[in-house]
Amino acid sequence: MHINEHFLKLEDSYLFFTISQKVRAYAEANPGVEILRLGVGDVTRPLAPAVVEAMRKAVLEMGRAETFRGYGDYEGYPFLRQAVCGYYRQKGVALREDEVFISDGAKSDLGNILDIFSQDNAVLIPNPVYPVYADTNIMAGREILYMNGTAENGFLPLPEKNVRADIIYLCSPNNPTGAVYSREQLGAWVAYALDNDAVILFDSAYEGFIQDGALPASIYQIEGAAECAIEFCSFSKTAGFTGTRCGYTVVPHTLVRGGVSLNGLWLRRQTTKFNGVPYIVQRGAEAVFTAEGLAQTKRDIAYYLENARMMADTLDGLGIWFTGGRNAPYIWLKCPTGLSSWGFFDFLLTKAGVVGTPGAGFGAGGEGFFRLSAFGERDNVAAAMGRIKAALGEGGDYHAD
Ligand code: PLP
């Protein structure tokens, strides 16, 4: 027998392991210092009361013979698929219920979707980016073309005429950069995909953070996207479901390649390899879209965005270049005076006791940059900003070196 040797081509993911080792070593050497963590992309706000109440009711239903439910639909319960359609209607996007597939989160579907595409497709992936896109394609043995995010293009790479791709990954609002494509920029990608018969895999896991109504919160707000794009979304970051697990993937009926409906292929894939999301979780997710649930989750998003604003103000005050933070929970900053990503990580840890994420961990294009997450608790963020100001500001250690 032979193993899948493509796995051996994956780079070991040292990022969070190395971070935790460095933090542990520092904590052991400095037992009196409280370490403030702005590195992890996990949420800290609890589930909204409307979600908890819906799940509580669903648990009770599962405990009574009359209302007990066994296997659900592979594609998700109609009540949740309809609620997703209602949410998209508010964004001006008309979806059919059978174009929405409920999942256990965006990460699984982003990996699983590759089942429906041939091995020989050319894949185009931004750099830096959420590492799952590249790793899932490396596992499948595909060649990857990278498009570079840079300070000059605001970490929003656009199509280039001389680059031919069949599968294109876009993430907006972006992890790690917090950058958000405009309608015009997404329009350029949709035009490129239609011209090249390509498919865009659009990751909108952070769409709930968009405050500026002029920015697209779904690729289907762009004309022509329903003929060239699949959208992946999640309740993880917008409603605190990172541990509860629920998301959805939209595959329009109008998306046809090689004369075949991708919706039909994805349905076939899901019915074979996936047995659905728990009823209790889907009831909780449904509650996110009620008036109460939307108001409560919006408050949590506002809390994180206020954290981001505090970070942005601090960086502005220090004259440090950054993207993100306004319609996204991440701030992506240029490491001051030419420090490498890990150099700045060490500096912040040792001079301020603050932990962030080195940009180089998101691809070579992230070298020299650094990600701060706004998902922390307010007091921690405030304290961290005070320490960063002291370390980097006038008279701080950083300038004294
Ligand atoms: N897409 C992006 C860009 C993410 O940053 C994340 C999680 O951090 C995911 C998808 C995964 O989300 P989920 O928890 O729904 O699997």
Side-chain angles (χ1 to χ4, degrees):
M1 69 71 72
H2 302 282
I3 59 156
N4 178 352
E5 296 211 343
H6 299 306
F7 273 65
L8 307 180
K9 298 180 199 153
L10 291 165
E11 276 179 37
D12 281 329
S13 179
Y14 291 120
L15 180 65
F16 288 102
F17 178 69
T18 310
I19 290 175
S20 69
Q21 274 195 326
K22 280 180 179 261
V23 172
R24 194 176 315 127
Y26 177 78
E28 277 167 17
N30 301 274
V33 179
E34 191 201 352
I35 294 171
L36 304 174
R37 293 164 203 273
L38 303 180
V40 187
D42 202 354
V43 294
T44 50
R45 306 291 300 154
L47 290 173
V51 170
V52 174
E53 180 53 21
M55 292 205 290
R56 195 187 64 80
K57 278 193 191 142
V59 168
L60 295 178
E61 280 180 54
M62 293 297 274
R64 296 174 56 225
E66 309 83 72
T67 46
F68 169 77
R69 304 202 187 209
Y71 288 121
D73 299 336
Y74 305 105
E75 319 92 291
Y77 283 103
F79 62 78
L80 182 52
R81 301 172 87 191
Q82 284 159 18
V84 172
C85 291
Y87 183 59
Y88 272 75
R89 263 197 303 281
Q90 291 169 23
K91 301 187 197 190
V93 175
L95 294 180
R96 278 172 47 176
E97 188 182 319
D98 60 0
E99 293 176 315
V100 177
F101 295 81
I102 306 303
S103 70
D104 63 353
K107 185 177 184 175
S108 324
D109 276 12
L110 280 160
N112 295 336
I113 197 73
L114 295 176
D115 276 4
I116 69 170
F117 297 113
S118 152
Q119 179 92 6
D120 55 11
N121 284 306
V123 181
L124 185 58
I125 299 182
N127 183 4
V129 86
Y130 182 54
V132 170
Y133 312 152
D135 285 355
T136 51
N137 277 288
I138 292 169
M139 286 173 182
R142 280 198 193 85
E143 293 296 323
I144 299 174
L145 303 168
Y146 288 101
M147 47 178 164
N148 290 329
T150 60
E152 287 68 38
N153 63 22
F155 288 91
L156 294 167
L158 289 170
E160 287 176 30
K161 279 209 175 72
N162 55 344
V163 176
R164 257 261 333 123
D166 304 301
I167 299 174
I168 302 152
Y169 285 83
L170 298 178
C171 177
S172 177
N174 191 274
N175 178 14
T177 68
V180 186
Y181 278 112
S182 68
R183 278 173 195 260
E184 195 189 9
Q185 289 169 324
L186 272 194
W189 275 115
V190 167
Y192 172 93
L194 292 172
D195 282 351
N196 289 278
D197 214 23
V199 173
I200 296 172
L201 303 181
F202 188 75
D203 185 343
S204 65
Y206 296 94
E207 57 79 32
F209 289 84
I210 293 178
Q211 307 295 299
D212 178 349
L215 295 171
S218 161
I219 195 161
Y220 302 120
Q221 290 172 330
I222 310 301
E223 210 186 320
E227 281 83 55
C228 66
I230 297 176
E231 183 158 296
F232 301 84
C233 201
S234 169
F235 296 93
S236 283
K237 305 301 169 84
T238 53
F241 272 58
T242 51
T244 307
R245 311 302 309 144
C246 197
Y248 48 90
T249 296
V250 178
V251 191
H253 285 294
T254 42
L255 180 51
V256 174
R257 289 293 177 273
V260 178
S261 151
L262 298 199
N263 179 290
L265 286 187
W266 181 241
L267 177 63
R268 190 68 181 85
R269 189 268 170 213
Q270 290 298 79
T271 54
T272 304
K273 294 198 187 177
F274 185 61
N275 247 347
V277 177
Y279 173 69
I280 297 160
V281 171
Q282 292 194 55
R283 279 295 184 200
E286 181 194 21
V288 171
F289 295 123
T290 59
E292 220 187 350
L294 282 173
Q296 292 165 354
T297 49
K298 269 195 183 129
R299 271 202 288 279
D300 291 332
I301 287 172
Y303 175 96
Y304 296 133
L305 286 174
E306 174 59 15
N307 287 348
R309 192 195 58 75
M310 289 162 57
M311 295 175 180
D313 284 354
T314 304
L315 297 176
D316 276 338
L318 291 165
I320 294 175
W321 185 94
F322 67 93
T323 59
R326 294 196 175 87
N327 296 282
Y330 297 116
I331 294 231
W332 180 252
L333 63 98
K334 187 162 171 46
C335 301
T337 57
L339 276 181
S340 70
S341 294
W342 280 107
F344 189 59
F345 174 91
D346 290 337
F347 169 80
L348 270 195
L349 178 62
T350 55
K351 305 285 188 202
V354 172
V355 180
T357 314
F362 299 97
E367 181 53 276
F369 290 86
F370 200 79
R371 190 189 78 171
L372 294 177
S373 158
F375 284 119
E377 282 163 17
R378 176 67 44 78
D379 291 351
N380 270 353
V381 172
M385 291 308 109
R387 290 198 204 165
I388 288 178
K389 268 187 218 161
L392 280 170
E394 221 170 292
D397 280 344
Y398 177 71
H399 288 280
D401 284 345

